[in-house]
Amino acid sequence: MEQVQSILERMVAPLKDLRDRGIFTQEEIHSIVQRRRSSEMTLQRRSGVRKSDYLRYIEEEVLLERLRKLRKQKVLLEMRNKKREAQENDEEEEDEEPGRRKKHAYQTSGPGDAHIVSHLHFIYQRTLKKFKYPIDVVLNYAQFARDFKSFHMMSRIYAEGLQHHPREEGLWIEAASFEFFGYVAQDYEN
């Protein structure tokens, strides 16, 4: 129970940031915390914890990250539209009061943006350690890192996977391909 509470306490500042920037509402944050608490309690059981419990938690967090990304784009689009409208209004009012400028206090990025992806890395690492680096999870983790542009983690993922599965040809080929070709920036741009 203390481990669960410790993990949840590390989430406070990033979730507060997401709430303050209007990406999630207070009710949604409460729902996220409840779901994470339930998932963490499931993972902390003494007996009967399965790999599928970890993978389900990972899938929920991936969906949450995709939702966060969409919401951020929506908020930024709304902010741009408001800024455009404000500039049009300022141009009209500039005749009356020259030199007056309004500033927007919205931050476009914050600690909440990277929080979910780093939490997913944390869950993947726990899964790998708990189940002795199953090859399907290693490959899934490498794909996740590639999809979410965590290229700095991919060398580590492949190295740890190869330490536990030195005779897995497919893993060797993927690792060698990544190390040789790296990533091509235009292939991963949105």
Side-chain angles (χ1 to χ4, degrees):
M1 185 66 177
E2 290 176 19
Q3 288 178 330
V4 171
Q5 193 62 32
S6 172
I7 290 169
L8 292 174
E9 285 174 2
R10 282 186 265 161
M11 300 175 189
V12 172
L15 290 175
K16 189 182 264 191
D17 174 61
L18 291 172
R19 185 201 63 205
D20 292 345
R21 291 190 294 135
I23 294 174
F24 292 120
T25 64
Q26 183 64 35
E27 294 79 27
E28 290 170 329
I29 295 292
H30 182 71
S31 172
I32 290 167
V33 170
Q34 289 300 100
R35 184 186 47 75
R36 284 181 173 178
R37 177 176 285 122
S38 171
S39 296
E40 289 293 338
M41 293 294 278
T42 301
L43 299 183
Q44 295 296 326
R45 288 188 308 217
R46 291 271 180 209
S47 63
V49 69
R50 298 177 304 267
K51 186 167 63 169
S52 62
D53 295 331
Y54 282 88
L55 296 177
R56 185 178 323 106
Y57 188 18
I58 288 169
E59 184 59 34
E60 290 171 356
E61 290 295 314
V62 166
L63 293 174
L64 181 64
E65 171 59 15
R66 288 185 180 143
L67 177 63
R68 183 209 58 83
K69 206 178 251 189
L70 288 173
R71 293 267 181 96
K72 182 178 176 183
Q73 289 173 349
K74 178 184 172 191
V75 167
L76 289 174
L77 184 64
E78 290 172 356
M79 185 181 77
R80 286 185 194 121
N81 290 338
K82 286 180 184 178
K83 187 176 181 180
R84 219 176 277 133
E85 290 172 8
Q87 285 177 345
E88 291 171 2
N89 291 339
D90 283 347
E91 289 173 2
E92 293 171 5
E93 293 175 4
E94 203 169 277
D95 298 332
E96 299 168 8
E97 296 179 41
R100 186 178 141 239
R101 280 283 187 218
K102 291 185 179 179
K103 296 200 175 194
H104 297 280
Y106 185 81
Q107 292 181 333
T108 57
S109 63
D113 291 338
H115 163 69
I116 299 172
V117 173
S118 65
H119 187 63
L120 277 161
H121 284 294
F122 176 65
I123 299 168
Y124 266 115
Q125 289 295 323
R126 287 169 58 192
T127 306
L128 291 173
K129 288 179 178 136
K130 173 80 175 175
F131 297 103
K132 310 288 191 270
Y133 288 80
I135 191 69
D136 60 329
V137 177
V138 171
L139 293 174
N140 191 8
Y141 187 18
Q143 184 62 43
F144 159 78
R146 187 178 297 112
D147 291 345
F148 286 91
K149 300 177 181 138
S150 298
F151 301 113
H152 62 282
M153 290 293 292
M154 289 185 68
S155 292
R156 179 178 170 191
I157 295 165
Y158 285 130
E160 290 175 356
L162 288 170
Q163 285 177 351
H164 290 83
H165 301 285
R167 293 193 172 109
E168 189 67 36
E169 296 92 8
L171 187 58
W172 275 106
I173 291 169
E174 278 198 36
S177 175
F178 173 74
E179 292 298 330
F180 184 74
F181 297 112
Y183 69 94
V184 180
Q186 71 260 15
D187 291 346
Y188 295 102
E189 290 179 1
N190 290 339

